Amino acid sequence: MSGTSRRRDRLRQLLEAAGRSAMLVTHAPNVRYLTGFTGEDSYLLVTDQEELLISDGRFEEQLRQECPGLPSLIRQPGEPIAEVTCQQLRARRLSDLVVETSTMSVEVFDVLCQQSVAERVHKGGVQVESLRELKDADEIAILKRAIDVAQRAFLAVRKTLSTSHTERDVAAELEWTIRKLGGGGCSFEPIVAVGARAALPHARAGDANLGSGGLVLIDWGATVDGYRSDLTRVLWTSKIPPKFTAIYQTVLEAQQAAIAVIRPGIRASDVDRAARQVFEAAGINDRFSHGLGHGIGLEVHEAPRLNKNQERELEPGMVVTVEPGVYFPDLYGVRIEDDVLVTQSGCEVLSDLPTDLQSNLVTLSS
């Protein structure tokens, strides 16, 4: 039995436990997780008796290669996928259907309600996301490769940095280098922020020169076989002011405190709290304006979430970012981020780029 087949069986078990007989999976990362299909614009129907992948002619050969043995239906050009899906649902006369409303347009939802003739269409459909929280051995191996490619790209680009480089240049170099190293590109548009722009947690790379601000915050990741890494480092490019040193060390201490408590059974909110207590002791908790981290996998932001409102207990197989940060408008921002696997007895930090300040001093070429 293939890994994707086992995942579909686990989904059936979840549906059965909830008293549901069928689910229509429309969110592309979820379709990929359950089938191995890397294309788009395709739906997967899973019932207690069968499964069907609905796609189109662009992917007919790709389906044969990626999903051997999985029943599929190729819709004709011009046939809307929602209507073709409803034809299949009507033929099965389902008593109930779970749909993924959090990632579905209102238009598609209305079509399914009106044309599927399922007796009950249930909103929600987070069952697949709950399965994706716990990575299997194959997924962990791919994530490790995504982290390795991201780190190697960062180190390669770091060696080339000059005073004339702009934020946009660095982002482009990361994308190109990741692809050169065998990745599928960046996990997301890299954040490259010089000086005071680092106080913007989600700054977009622009035209600021690296030599103009004293420091540069880089938040990036690599995609490998669809799985995404997510890392952040702050590079200092001139003499380090003592006050910045103290702030940086506080952020690093907060990250280390959070990682130290990660283990099976701890609540996500308690991991967030471990970092927040360090900032409270330093009197800068008001500068920590976001949650501590999030799951990574086929999406760069997925469950579980590490923030003060999440009571979800961590389990072995979860992979999360730990990324405390503090931001001082018109001055600078500091964020340190690593990717962490929850193990049977604690955790394993999967990324290993140095986090100490001295290791992140760089001399820019002119």
Side-chain angles (χ1 to χ4, degrees):
M1 179 183 292
S2 69
T4 54
S5 179
R6 284 192 293 270
R7 292 170 187 172
R8 295 193 296 273
D9 283 345
R10 289 170 59 206
L11 176 60
R12 287 191 177 91
Q13 292 169 9
L14 287 181
L15 293 172
E16 182 180 4
R20 308 289 186 241
S21 61
M23 181 172 180
L24 182 65
V25 181
T26 54
H27 187 39
N30 289 345
V31 173
R32 179 170 185 165
Y33 176 78
L34 292 169
T35 66
F37 175 60
T38 62
E40 63 272 358
D41 299 328
S42 303
Y43 293 173
L44 175 68
L45 175 64
V46 178
T47 77
D48 53 0
Q49 300 293 326
E50 61 175 330
E51 51 211 19
L52 178 69
L53 185 57
I54 302 169
S55 190
D56 62 68
R58 295 172 298 166
F59 302 114
E60 190 167 5
E61 179 58 27
Q62 186 175 334
L63 282 167
R64 277 196 288 266
Q65 294 178 9
E66 295 180 343
C67 312
L70 180 66
S72 62
L73 172 68
I74 303 299
R75 60 190 171 95
Q76 297 303 306
E79 287 186 318
I81 188 170
E83 293 182 10
V84 173
T85 300
C86 285
Q87 293 171 8
Q88 296 299 312
L89 295 173
R90 288 195 296 272
R92 287 159 176 79
R93 304 194 65 82
L94 299 171
S95 60
D96 60 86
L97 179 69
V98 179
V99 296
E100 298 183 306
T101 49
S102 62
T103 54
M104 178 182 291
S105 71
V106 173
E107 180 182 6
V108 170
F109 179 69
D110 286 346
V111 170
L112 291 171
C113 288
Q114 295 164 11
Q115 299 185 26
S116 70
V117 299
E119 294 178 19
R120 294 176 298 279
V121 177
H122 301 282
K123 292 183 178 181
V126 296
Q127 287 88 344
V128 184
E129 280 83 354
S130 69
L131 294 176
R132 284 172 47 197
E133 281 188 301
L134 306 182
K135 273 61 181 181
D136 59 32
D138 290 340
E139 291 179 288
I140 292 169
I142 298 172
L143 280 168
K144 287 180 176 179
R145 288 168 51 209
I147 293 165
D148 177 65
V149 169
Q151 294 190 149
R152 288 162 58 202
F154 175 80
L155 292 173
V157 170
R158 173 178 161 156
K159 292 178 182 178
T160 70
L161 298 179
S162 71
T163 55
S164 62
H165 266 100
T166 66
E167 297 168 341
R168 206 186 311 274
D169 291 334
V170 176
E173 288 290 333
L174 283 169
E175 174 76 29
W176 182 83
T177 306
I178 285 169
R179 290 185 180 277
K180 185 179 178 182
L181 291 171
C186 290
S187 300
F188 51 90
E189 184 177 340
I191 297 168
V192 184
V194 171
R197 284 177 37 77
L200 302 170
H202 275 198
R204 297 177 67 90
D207 295 323
N209 291 98
L210 299 194
S212 66
L215 64 83
V216 54
L217 183 151
I218 303 176
D219 186 336
W220 82 107
T223 301
V224 172
D225 291 346
Y227 285 78
R228 301 163 189 269
S229 54
D230 189 2
L231 303 164
T232 306
R233 290 294 183 269
V234 176
L235 302 178
W236 192 261
T237 58
S238 63
K239 185 177 179 180
I240 305 175
K243 187 171 183 179
F244 175 85
T245 300
I247 293 294
Y248 187 94
Q249 289 303 127
T250 300
V251 175
L252 182 55
E253 182 183 344
Q255 191 203 39
Q256 293 170 340
I259 291 172
V261 302
I262 292 178
R263 63 184 185 278
I266 192 169
R267 295 179 300 178
S269 58
D270 289 334
V271 181
D272 179 273
R273 180 64 179 158
R276 211 166 290 277
Q277 286 175 332
V278 175
F279 291 133
E280 289 173 350
I284 57 172
N285 191 48
D286 61 328
R287 300 290 90 202
F288 181 26
S289 56
H290 53 75
L292 180 67
H294 53 82
I296 54 172
L298 287 169
E299 295 177 280
V300 73
H301 292 96
E302 58 183 51
R305 307 285 176 162
L306 302 183
N307 65 50
K308 62 184 179 180
N309 298 317
Q310 295 295 318
E311 298 304 300
R312 177 79 163 91
E313 291 185 356
L314 300 189
E315 298 181 47
M318 291 179 172
V319 181
V320 296
T321 67
V322 180
E323 49 180 303
V326 291
Y327 310 94
F328 299 86
D330 302 320
L331 293 173
Y332 49 73
V334 178
R335 183 167 66 253
I336 304 171
E337 178 180 16
D338 286 288
D339 300 335
V340 180
L341 168 67
V342 183
T343 65
Q344 292 292 336
S345 58
C347 70
E348 176 188 355
V349 182
L350 301 179
S351 41
D352 59 6
L353 289 174
T355 53
D356 64 282
L357 188 52
Q358 291 301 313
S359 294
N360 287 288
L361 284 170
V362 296
T363 299
L364 301 176
S365 61
S366 56

